Every structure is written in structure tokens, then in C-alpha cells.
Amino acid sequence: AVENIEDVIETINKAGIKATQTCNIPEGTTISSAEDFAYSFTLENLSEIRLEDVKFVDYLPEEVQFKSLEIVYSDGTTNTSVKTNDDKSVETTLHINSKDKVIININVLAKSLDKDTEISNKAKISHELVSEFETNSISHVIKMFNKDDMNIGSGSESGNNNNKQTNKKVLFSISIL
């Protein structure tokens, strides 16, 4: 007697998240004081399970000022809810549908510094089904603030001030005569 045994296929699905950080200014590039730039994180759910309450925390370098955070879901919807913690980190909670990607954009401003300073950024991601892990790191150099690099108070304005002083001297010398 031949017995047919049906194949039993059991899918064991574990939660997994892949995270990649990029920046709109290439890594290693020098950034000027007061320059706006953005860190972008792509989070990909590698499993068939929808992941709720994924925690994202970015400990931004102290040499940058946080401006805004935007979560962009694959269907085009966005969320800008963010919490700024006492330690200056920015935190948000999001969901990632199964086999889907979410992008987190963080806009920052380079602070004015008294010396060229190398900065580095990375974030931490955690979920109850996934051990906490860190993203890749991105590094830049923020150039020392130099007022001579700015076009404020230079050139013809300075010349005009000198001319005014010269005019005063000329008027004074005329009044003596």
C-alpha cells in the first residue's frame, strides 16, 4: 500500500529591520557654518510581519542644530511628530508594513564654530522583536566660522565709511582756513 503524505510547509518568520543612513551632502565633504543639510534613514522591514512601535533615536552631533524630522511612508503619507529629549537626541516612533520601506529625513543646520570640527552621526533603532542596533555612521567636517567668508560689512561699505571720515577731515580743514 502506497501512502500519500502531504508536504507540510511551515514558515517561521522573524522580525528584521535593515537601516541605511545617507546625507544630501556627500560624506567627507566640508560643510560651512550656517549651512542646511539633511540626514536620511531608510528603514526596511525584512519580514512578513507589520512592525508597530519601532523606536528611532538620533543623537545628533552637538555641532548641529535640529530643525525638523519627517517620516515618509511608501504610500506617500508623512508624519512629523518628534520628541526632543533632555540629552538633545531626537526620537520618534513609527510602523513599517511587511516587506516595506520607510524614510526618515532629519533637517539640521551647521552651527558657527571657532575651529574646523569633524562631526559624525548615527541613530539607534529598536523594537520589541528586534534587538537594538545602530545605523551606519556618516562623517563631515564643519568649517570654522570666518566672517571674512561672508559678504556682510565688506567691500564698498567699508570704503564708504573711510570716505565719510576723510570728508570730515576735509571739512574740518576747510573750517580752519
Side-chain angles (χ1 to χ4, degrees), residues 16-68:
I17 300 172
K18 177 182 175 186
T20 308
Q21 178 183 197
T22 58
C23 185
N24 65 335
I25 296 177
E27 184 167 15
T29 303
T30 299
I31 296 172
S32 300
S33 295
E35 186 170 354
D36 289 306
F37 62 103
Y39 295 113
S40 291
F41 298 85
T42 302
L43 278 55
E44 183 178 358
N45 183 350
L46 302 174
S47 68
E48 298 288 342
I49 305 166
R50 177 182 160 104
L51 299 174
E52 295 286 345
D53 300 324
V54 176
K55 183 177 174 183
F56 173 90
V57 181
D58 192 341
Y59 299 88
L60 292 166
E62 66 180 55
E63 296 84 3
V64 301
Q65 177 182 334
F66 171 73
K67 291 179 69 182
S68 65

Side-chain angles (χ1 to χ4, degrees), residues 106-126:
I106 299 178
N107 297 302
V108 295
L109 176 73
K111 292 181 180 177
S112 296
L113 304 174
D114 58 5
K115 64 179 180 177
D116 290 359
T117 306
E118 185 171 338
I119 62 167
S120 183
N121 187 61
K122 60 184 170 184
K124 288 186 180 177
I125 294 139
S126 60

Side-chain angles (χ1 to χ4, degrees), residues 104-158:
I104 300 171
N105 295 313
I106 299 178
N107 297 302
V108 295
L109 176 73
K111 292 181 180 177
S112 296
L113 304 174
D114 58 5
K115 64 179 180 177
D116 290 359
T117 306
E118 185 171 338
I119 62 167
S120 183
N121 187 61
K122 60 184 170 184
K124 288 186 180 177
I125 294 139
S126 60
H127 184 267
E128 63 184 347
L129 301 175
V130 179
S131 299
E132 180 178 87
F133 68 96
E134 292 183 340
T135 65
N136 58 304
S137 181
I138 299 258
S139 298
H140 293 94
V141 172
I142 297 180
K143 186 178 175 191
M144 174 182 80
F145 175 73
N146 184 346
K147 67 179 181 179
D148 294 337
D149 292 342
M150 309 290 283
N151 288 325
I152 298 171
S154 64
S156 62
E157 242 182 66
S158 298

Side-chain angles (χ1 to χ4, degrees), residues 72-78:
V72 182
Y73 292 97
S74 61
D75 65 2
T77 59
T78 60

